[in-house]
Amino acid sequence: MTQHSVSVSFHGAAGMVTGACFRVDGGAAPFLVDCGLVQGPKTLQGLNTRPFPFAPRALGAVVLTHAHIDHSGLLPRLVAAGFAGPIHATPATCELLRWLLQDAAAIQEAEAERFAKRAHRRGQTAVRAPLYTREDAAAAIERLRPTPIGAAFAPVAGVAARYGHAGHILGAAWVALDIGDRRIVFSGDLGPKGKTLQRDPEPAPAADLIVLESTYGGRERPPETEESRRERLAAEVLDAHRAGGNLLIPAFAVERTQELIHDLLVLARASRIPAMPIYLDSPLARRATAVFERYEAELEPVPDSGAAFRAGHLRAIETVEQSKDLARVTSGAILIAGSGMCDAGRIKHHLKEHLWRPRSTVLFVGYQAPGTLGRLLRDGVSPVRIHGEEIAVAARIRTLDSYSGHAGQSDLLAWAHGSLAGDGHIALTHGEPDQLAALRAALMQGGVAPARLHVPALDDALGAEPGGWRLKPDGAARALRQAADAGSDWHNAYARTIMSLRATLEAQTDDDARRRVLDAIERSLRAAGPAH
């Protein structure tokens, strides 16, 4: 293989934000950078179950940028499919993954069990195996290889690699890969400047190709200090308290929860918000906090960071029974639970209890992928379906972007320009279509020629050629890309149709009118295809 035979294939986070998975060819064996779970509409989630578009047994390694499940959550399935190489990650990322992967597997098993019970109640025999099991997660954890930031390592022969601080979450890193005369830098997820717990992202070395995240590619993060962020949070808490109900905060267990709790307790100690009970309904977040305490030396100094999590009115909820008991708490409390996009975990049960209450408040503090329950709520959809039940949304829905772990447009531009070789290329990933387009336009305005900018679709590849990189499209997954572009799929449409049907039937004046509506639907179904 010549030194120019280098390529990057985009098997996730292409035209969408989640599911980062990039195959690199050019060393002694192909290897992956990240192997993440796709989140969002159910059609896109089907990517998680499709056959891998590569041979897992042939991979020499996996190089992880950080622990978030949309970058690591398919590792157990990859190992179960035959991958037997090392999984490189920073030491803190390895520690976090020991909890995150087991938690993700438990969710997969619980969802499969819920599906089976629902099918059984309907008289069906349908069975859906979990995407992977806790045994698969344990096997993936055994393959983790702690690799310090700044230390040189070789994922496969013929490739030299090095991590640098990305400033996103604990342990997050960008990675630079030298293959022959080519250097590729994967940004991973880049954090904003001035983040509470993390250092600012380090500059990467000049690269021939940068694979750049674009989550907030079209948005500018307003200048934010710790004080201004806390002021915004205090205002939301006080408004929720005056409304008379509980404040629900869906939050990711890693980083977001730790920042939130720290600020809430700082505000309470200063009497800027009432010392109301704070229920942390996330055993995973508690375990992640212990990892943060062990790696305190890697974090930005925060006064009383450890003591804050031992405050008297912070109450950790461990068991499912304790979580269910929170239904009796209907006012005067803050409840923080996962998942951050409301698509799994305990937050869905709490939303069922509170969305219909006008006095309740739901505060979103992070990105919500298209098609997720969190995105539907943030966009004002009502009613919504949770666990097959229709829930009217009467609660106050609020959004606070101050806690986002992603860099805004100007920070992305500065990092990319600082790391781009004179004639280097940039591939934009990990963004919704409008954010990708906005960042591409901003890069062109900053002097990057259009021919050096690429927005790959799913399974496309970029191949190195003398003088540059050429995009090689793969049209096999275009339908899934279209679902990502639309932000929803037929599953979302089905839920809307069911709710619209109920509303239409209830609006009719008599049973004969309702029968006519149903008869019209029956005729449409018969015309659409085989008998149902």
mmCIF file with all atom_site columns, all heavy atoms in Angstrom, residues 18-38:
data_model
loop_
_atom_site.group_PDB
_atom_site.id
_atom_site.type_symbol
_atom_site.label_atom_id
_atom_site.label_alt_id
_atom_site.label_comp_id
_atom_site.label_asym_id
_atom_site.label_entity_id
_atom_site.label_seq_id
_atom_site.pdbx_PDB_ins_code
_atom_site.Cartn_x
_atom_site.Cartn_y
_atom_site.Cartn_z
_atom_site.occupancy
_atom_site.B_iso_or_equiv
_atom_site.pdbx_formal_charge
_atom_site.auth_seq_id
_atom_site.auth_comp_id
_atom_site.auth_asym_id
_atom_site.auth_atom_id
_atom_site.pdbx_PDB_model_num
ATOM 1   N N   . THR A 1 18 ? -25.744 12.512 15.904 1.00 0.00 ? 18 THR A N   1
ATOM 2   C CA  . THR A 1 18 ? -25.346 11.393 16.750 1.00 0.00 ? 18 THR A CA  1
ATOM 3   C C   . THR A 1 18 ? -24.745 10.237 15.946 1.00 0.00 ? 18 THR A C   1
ATOM 4   O O   . THR A 1 18 ? -24.737 10.244 14.721 1.00 0.00 ? 18 THR A O   1
ATOM 5   C CB  . THR A 1 18 ? -26.546 10.890 17.558 1.00 0.00 ? 18 THR A CB  1
ATOM 6   O OG1 . THR A 1 18 ? -27.560 10.415 16.662 1.00 0.00 ? 18 THR A OG1 1
ATOM 7   C CG2 . THR A 1 18 ? -27.127 11.993 18.418 1.00 0.00 ? 18 THR A CG2 1
ATOM 8   N N   . GLY A 1 19 ? -24.241 9.226  16.674 1.00 0.00 ? 19 GLY A N   1
ATOM 9   C CA  . GLY A 1 19 ? -23.762 8.005  16.040 1.00 0.00 ? 19 GLY A CA  1
ATOM 10  C C   . GLY A 1 19 ? -22.387 8.114  15.419 1.00 0.00 ? 19 GLY A C   1
ATOM 11  O O   . GLY A 1 19 ? -22.099 7.449  14.427 1.00 0.00 ? 19 GLY A O   1
ATOM 12  N N   . ALA A 1 20 ? -21.484 8.918  15.987 1.00 0.00 ? 20 ALA A N   1
ATOM 13  C CA  . ALA A 1 20 ? -20.159 9.106  15.410 1.00 0.00 ? 20 ALA A CA  1
ATOM 14  C C   . ALA A 1 20 ? -19.464 7.767  15.200 1.00 0.00 ? 20 ALA A C   1
ATOM 15  O O   . ALA A 1 20 ? -19.338 6.966  16.126 1.00 0.00 ? 20 ALA A O   1
ATOM 16  C CB  . ALA A 1 20 ? -19.314 10.002 16.314 1.00 0.00 ? 20 ALA A CB  1
ATOM 17  N N   . CYS A 1 21 ? -19.016 7.525  13.974 1.00 0.00 ? 21 CYS A N   1
ATOM 18  C CA  . CYS A 1 21 ? -18.325 6.280  13.645 1.00 0.00 ? 21 CYS A CA  1
ATOM 19  C C   . CYS A 1 21 ? -17.582 6.487  12.327 1.00 0.00 ? 21 CYS A C   1
ATOM 20  O O   . CYS A 1 21 ? -18.219 6.640  11.281 1.00 0.00 ? 21 CYS A O   1
ATOM 21  C CB  . CYS A 1 21 ? -19.308 5.109  13.525 1.00 0.00 ? 21 CYS A CB  1
ATOM 22  S SG  . CYS A 1 21 ? -18.525 3.516  13.192 1.00 0.00 ? 21 CYS A SG  1
ATOM 23  N N   . PHE A 1 22 ? -16.269 6.518  12.375 1.00 0.00 ? 22 PHE A N   1
ATOM 24  C CA  . PHE A 1 22 ? -15.459 6.818  11.205 1.00 0.00 ? 22 PHE A CA  1
ATOM 25  C C   . PHE A 1 22 ? -14.406 5.722  11.024 1.00 0.00 ? 22 PHE A C   1
ATOM 26  O O   . PHE A 1 22 ? -13.651 5.433  11.957 1.00 0.00 ? 22 PHE A O   1
ATOM 27  C CB  . PHE A 1 22 ? -14.775 8.179  11.367 1.00 0.00 ? 22 PHE A CB  1
ATOM 28  C CG  . PHE A 1 22 ? -15.708 9.266  11.830 1.00 0.00 ? 22 PHE A CG  1
ATOM 29  C CD1 . PHE A 1 22 ? -15.619 9.767  13.122 1.00 0.00 ? 22 PHE A CD1 1
ATOM 30  C CD2 . PHE A 1 22 ? -16.695 9.766  11.000 1.00 0.00 ? 22 PHE A CD2 1
ATOM 31  C CE1 . PHE A 1 22 ? -16.482 10.754 13.562 1.00 0.00 ? 22 PHE A CE1 1
ATOM 32  C CE2 . PHE A 1 22 ? -17.571 10.754 11.425 1.00 0.00 ? 22 PHE A CE2 1
ATOM 33  C CZ  . PHE A 1 22 ? -17.468 11.250 12.709 1.00 0.00 ? 22 PHE A CZ  1
ATOM 34  N N   . ARG A 1 23 ? -14.372 5.121  9.840  1.00 0.00 ? 23 ARG A N   1
ATOM 35  C CA  . ARG A 1 23 ? -13.372 4.090  9.553  1.00 0.00 ? 23 ARG A CA  1
ATOM 36  C C   . ARG A 1 23 ? -12.196 4.719  8.826  1.00 0.00 ? 23 ARG A C   1
ATOM 37  O O   . ARG A 1 23 ? -12.369 5.433  7.840  1.00 0.00 ? 23 ARG A O   1
ATOM 38  C CB  . ARG A 1 23 ? -13.971 2.981  8.694  1.00 0.00 ? 23 ARG A CB  1
ATOM 39  C CG  . ARG A 1 23 ? -13.042 1.763  8.556  1.00 0.00 ? 23 ARG A CG  1
ATOM 40  C CD  . ARG A 1 23 ? -13.593 0.693  7.651  1.00 0.00 ? 23 ARG A CD  1
ATOM 41  N NE  . ARG A 1 23 ? -13.299 0.965  6.240  1.00 0.00 ? 23 ARG A NE  1
ATOM 42  C CZ  . ARG A 1 23 ? -14.221 1.096  5.300  1.00 0.00 ? 23 ARG A CZ  1
ATOM 43  N NH1 . ARG A 1 23 ? -15.510 1.006  5.604  1.00 0.00 ? 23 ARG A NH1 1
ATOM 44  N NH2 . ARG A 1 23 ? -13.868 1.334  4.048  1.00 0.00 ? 23 ARG A NH2 1
ATOM 45  N N   . VAL A 1 24 ? -10.996 4.427  9.303  1.00 0.00 ? 24 VAL A N   1
ATOM 46  C CA  . VAL A 1 24 ? -9.768  4.962  8.710  1.00 0.00 ? 24 VAL A CA  1
ATOM 47  C C   . VAL A 1 24 ? -9.000  3.803  8.085  1.00 0.00 ? 24 VAL A C   1
ATOM 48  O O   . VAL A 1 24 ? -8.700  2.799  8.759  1.00 0.00 ? 24 VAL A O   1
ATOM 49  C CB  . VAL A 1 24 ? -8.901  5.668  9.764  1.00 0.00 ? 24 VAL A CB  1
ATOM 50  C CG1 . VAL A 1 24 ? -7.637  6.227  9.113  1.00 0.00 ? 24 VAL A CG1 1
ATOM 51  C CG2 . VAL A 1 24 ? -9.687  6.785  10.442 1.00 0.00 ? 24 VAL A CG2 1
ATOM 52  N N   . ASP A 1 25 ? -8.697  3.929  6.807  1.00 0.00 ? 25 ASP A N   1
ATOM 53  C CA  . ASP A 1 25 ? -7.880  2.946  6.102  1.00 0.00 ? 25 ASP A CA  1
ATOM 54  C C   . ASP A 1 25 ? -6.569  3.603  5.700  1.00 0.00 ? 25 ASP A C   1
ATOM 55  O O   . ASP A 1 25 ? -6.556  4.761  5.263  1.00 0.00 ? 25 ASP A O   1
ATOM 56  C CB  . ASP A 1 25 ? -8.609  2.455  4.846  1.00 0.00 ? 25 ASP A CB  1
ATOM 57  C CG  . ASP A 1 25 ? -9.825  1.602  5.181  1.00 0.00 ? 25 ASP A CG  1
ATOM 58  O OD1 . ASP A 1 25 ? -9.655  0.389  5.337  1.00 0.00 ? 25 ASP A OD1 1
ATOM 59  O OD2 . ASP A 1 25 ? -10.931 2.177  5.294  1.00 0.00 ? 25 ASP A OD2 1
ATOM 60  N N   . GLY A 1 26 ? -5.486  2.853  5.836  1.00 0.00 ? 26 GLY A N   1
ATOM 61  C CA  . GLY A 1 26 ? -4.195  3.393  5.433  1.00 0.00 ? 26 GLY A CA  1
ATOM 62  C C   . GLY A 1 26 ? -3.041  2.805  6.190  1.00 0.00 ? 26 GLY A C   1
ATOM 63  O O   . GLY A 1 26 ? -1.899  2.854  5.726  1.00 0.00 ? 26 GLY A O   1
ATOM 64  N N   . GLY A 1 27 ? -3.281  2.239  7.361  1.00 0.00 ? 27 GLY A N   1
ATOM 65  C CA  . GLY A 1 27 ? -2.233  1.568  8.108  1.00 0.00 ? 27 GLY A CA  1
ATOM 66  C C   . GLY A 1 27 ? -2.240  0.079  7.798  1.00 0.00 ? 27 GLY A C   1
ATOM 67  O O   . GLY A 1 27 ? -2.769  -0.379 6.775  1.00 0.00 ? 27 GLY A O   1
ATOM 68  N N   . ALA A 1 28 ? -1.697  -0.708 8.723  1.00 0.00 ? 28 ALA A N   1
ATOM 69  C CA  . ALA A 1 28 ? -1.628  -2.152 8.532  1.00 0.00 ? 28 ALA A CA  1
ATOM 70  C C   . ALA A 1 28 ? -3.000  -2.796 8.558  1.00 0.00 ? 28 ALA A C   1
ATOM 71  O O   . ALA A 1 28 ? -3.196  -3.879 8.002  1.00 0.00 ? 28 ALA A O   1
ATOM 72  C CB  . ALA A 1 28 ? -0.733  -2.773 9.604  1.00 0.00 ? 28 ALA A CB  1
ATOM 73  N N   . ALA A 1 29 ? -3.965  -2.160 9.216  1.00 0.00 ? 29 ALA A N   1
ATOM 74  C CA  . ALA A 1 29 ? -5.342  -2.666 9.273  1.00 0.00 ? 29 ALA A CA  1
ATOM 75  C C   . ALA A 1 29 ? -6.269  -1.466 9.413  1.00 0.00 ? 29 ALA A C   1
ATOM 76  O O   . ALA A 1 29 ? -5.878  -0.415 9.941  1.00 0.00 ? 29 ALA A O   1
ATOM 77  C CB  . ALA A 1 29 ? -5.521  -3.623 10.456 1.00 0.00 ? 29 ALA A CB  1
ATOM 78  N N   . PRO A 1 30 ? -7.514  -1.589 8.946  1.00 0.00 ? 30 PRO A N   1
ATOM 79  C CA  . PRO A 1 30 ? -8.461  -0.496 9.174  1.00 0.00 ? 30 PRO A CA  1
ATOM 80  C C   . PRO A 1 30 ? -8.781  -0.379 10.661 1.00 0.00 ? 30 PRO A C   1
ATOM 81  O O   . PRO A 1 30 ? -8.685  -1.361 11.407 1.00 0.00 ? 30 PRO A O   1
ATOM 82  C CB  . PRO A 1 30 ? -9.697  -0.925 8.366  1.00 0.00 ? 30 PRO A CB  1
ATOM 83  C CG  . PRO A 1 30 ? -9.579  -2.408 8.270  1.00 0.00 ? 30 PRO A CG  1
ATOM 84  C CD  . PRO A 1 30 ? -8.115  -2.719 8.222  1.00 0.00 ? 30 PRO A CD  1
ATOM 85  N N   . PHE A 1 31 ? -9.148  0.813  11.092 1.00 0.00 ? 31 PHE A N   1
ATOM 86  C CA  . PHE A 1 31 ? -9.550  1.012  12.492 1.00 0.00 ? 31 PHE A CA  1
ATOM 87  C C   . PHE A 1 31 ? -10.619 2.092  12.543 1.00 0.00 ? 31 PHE A C   1
ATOM 88  O O   . PHE A 1 31 ? -10.841 2.824  11.558 1.00 0.00 ? 31 PHE A O   1
ATOM 89  C CB  . PHE A 1 31 ? -8.348  1.365  13.373 1.00 0.00 ? 31 PHE A CB  1
ATOM 90  C CG  . PHE A 1 31 ? -7.657  2.655  13.029 1.00 0.00 ? 31 PHE A CG  1
ATOM 91  C CD1 . PHE A 1 31 ? -7.962  3.834  13.695 1.00 0.00 ? 31 PHE A CD1 1
ATOM 92  C CD2 . PHE A 1 31 ? -6.686  2.692  12.028 1.00 0.00 ? 31 PHE A CD2 1
ATOM 93  C CE1 . PHE A 1 31 ? -7.319  5.023  13.383 1.00 0.00 ? 31 PHE A CE1 1
ATOM 94  C CE2 . PHE A 1 31 ? -6.034  3.871  11.712 1.00 0.00 ? 31 PHE A CE2 1
ATOM 95  C CZ  . PHE A 1 31 ? -6.349  5.044  12.382 1.00 0.00 ? 31 PHE A CZ  1
ATOM 96  N N   . LEU A 1 32 ? -11.311 2.180  13.658 1.00 0.00 ? 32 LEU A N   1
ATOM 97  C CA  . LEU A 1 32 ? -12.390 3.149  13.832 1.00 0.00 ? 32 LEU A CA  1
ATOM 98  C C   . LEU A 1 32 ? -11.946 4.283  14.736 1.00 0.00 ? 32 LEU A C   1
ATOM 99  O O   . LEU A 1 32 ? -11.179 4.083  15.686 1.00 0.00 ? 32 LEU A O   1
ATOM 100 C CB  . LEU A 1 32 ? -13.622 2.495  14.463 1.00 0.00 ? 32 LEU A CB  1
ATOM 101 C CG  . LEU A 1 32 ? -14.340 1.387  13.702 1.00 0.00 ? 32 LEU A CG  1
ATOM 102 C CD1 . LEU A 1 32 ? -15.577 0.942  14.468 1.00 0.00 ? 32 LEU A CD1 1
ATOM 103 C CD2 . LEU A 1 32 ? -14.706 1.819  12.289 1.00 0.00 ? 32 LEU A CD2 1
ATOM 104 N N   . VAL A 1 33 ? -12.446 5.461  14.435 1.00 0.00 ? 33 VAL A N   1
ATOM 105 C CA  . VAL A 1 33 ? -12.460 6.557  15.393 1.00 0.00 ? 33 VAL A CA  1
ATOM 106 C C   . VAL A 1 33 ? -13.900 6.703  15.839 1.00 0.00 ? 33 VAL A C   1
ATOM 107 O O   . VAL A 1 33 ? -14.783 7.051  15.043 1.00 0.00 ? 33 VAL A O   1
ATOM 108 C CB  . VAL A 1 33 ? -11.938 7.867  14.779 1.00 0.00 ? 33 VAL A CB  1
ATOM 109 C CG1 . VAL A 1 33 ? -12.101 9.019  15.772 1.00 0.00 ? 33 VAL A CG1 1
ATOM 110 C CG2 . VAL A 1 33 ? -10.478 7.725  14.365 1.00 0.00 ? 33 VAL A CG2 1
ATOM 111 N N   . ASP A 1 34 ? -14.183 6.347  17.088 1.00 0.00 ? 34 ASP A N   1
ATOM 112 C CA  . ASP A 1 34 ? -15.504 6.344  17.702 1.00 0.00 ? 34 ASP A CA  1
ATOM 113 C C   . ASP A 1 34 ? -16.401 5.244  17.129 1.00 0.00 ? 34 ASP A C   1
ATOM 114 O O   . ASP A 1 34 ? -16.192 4.774  15.996 1.00 0.00 ? 34 ASP A O   1
ATOM 115 C CB  . ASP A 1 34 ? -16.193 7.702  17.599 1.00 0.00 ? 34 ASP A CB  1
ATOM 116 C CG  . ASP A 1 34 ? -15.548 8.767  18.486 1.00 0.00 ? 34 ASP A CG  1
ATOM 117 O OD1 . ASP A 1 34 ? -14.840 8.379  19.439 1.00 0.00 ? 34 ASP A OD1 1
ATOM 118 O OD2 . ASP A 1 34 ? -15.741 9.960  18.240 1.00 0.00 ? 34 ASP A OD2 1
ATOM 119 N N   . CYS A 1 35 ? -17.363 4.851  17.938 1.00 0.00 ? 35 CYS A N   1
ATOM 120 C CA  . CYS A 1 35 ? -18.338 3.836  17.527 1.00 0.00 ? 35 CYS A CA  1
ATOM 121 C C   . CYS A 1 35 ? -19.588 4.083  18.358 1.00 0.00 ? 35 CYS A C   1
ATOM 122 O O   . CYS A 1 35 ? -19.831 3.420  19.370 1.00 0.00 ? 35 CYS A O   1
ATOM 123 C CB  . CYS A 1 35 ? -17.778 2.432  17.750 1.00 0.00 ? 35 CYS A CB  1
ATOM 124 S SG  . CYS A 1 35 ? -18.802 1.107  17.070 1.00 0.00 ? 35 CYS A SG  1
ATOM 125 N N   . GLY A 1 36 ? -20.390 5.080  17.930 1.00 0.00 ? 36 GLY A N   1
ATOM 126 C CA  . GLY A 1 36 ? -21.446 5.609  18.775 1.00 0.00 ? 36 GLY A CA  1
ATOM 127 C C   . GLY A 1 36 ? -22.843 5.163  18.405 1.00 0.00 ? 36 GLY A C   1
ATOM 128 O O   . GLY A 1 36 ? -23.120 4.738  17.284 1.00 0.00 ? 36 GLY A O   1
ATOM 129 N N   . LEU A 1 37 ? -23.728 5.306  19.355 1.00 0.00 ? 37 LEU A N   1
ATOM 130 C CA  . LEU A 1 37 ? -25.144 4.977  19.198 1.00 0.00 ? 37 LEU A CA  1
ATOM 131 C C   . LEU A 1 37 ? -25.859 6.124  18.501 1.00 0.00 ? 37 LEU A C   1
ATOM 132 O O   . LEU A 1 37 ? -25.637 7.298  18.820 1.00 0.00 ? 37 LEU A O   1
ATOM 133 C CB  . LEU A 1 37 ? -25.771 4.735  20.571 1.00 0.00 ? 37 LEU A CB  1
ATOM 134 C CG  . LEU A 1 37 ? -27.133 4.054  20.620 1.00 0.00 ? 37 LEU A CG  1
ATOM 135 C CD1 . LEU A 1 37 ? -27.001 2.566  20.322 1.00 0.00 ? 37 LEU A CD1 1
ATOM 136 C CD2 . LEU A 1 37 ? -27.775 4.253  21.993 1.00 0.00 ? 37 LEU A CD2 1
ATOM 137 N N   . VAL A 1 38 ? -26.724 5.792  17.537 1.00 0.00 ? 38 VAL A N   1
ATOM 138 C CA  . VAL A 1 38 ? -27.532 6.800  16.851 1.00 0.00 ? 38 VAL A CA  1
ATOM 139 C C   . VAL A 1 38 ? -28.776 7.072  17.689 1.00 0.00 ? 38 VAL A C   1
ATOM 140 O O   . VAL A 1 38 ? -29.462 6.150  18.134 1.00 0.00 ? 38 VAL A O   1
ATOM 141 C CB  . VAL A 1 38 ? -27.934 6.323  15.446 1.00 0.00 ? 38 VAL A CB  1
ATOM 142 C CG1 . VAL A 1 38 ? -28.853 7.340  14.777 1.00 0.00 ? 38 VAL A CG1 1
ATOM 143 C CG2 . VAL A 1 38 ? -26.695 6.090  14.594 1.00 0.00 ? 38 VAL A CG2 1
#
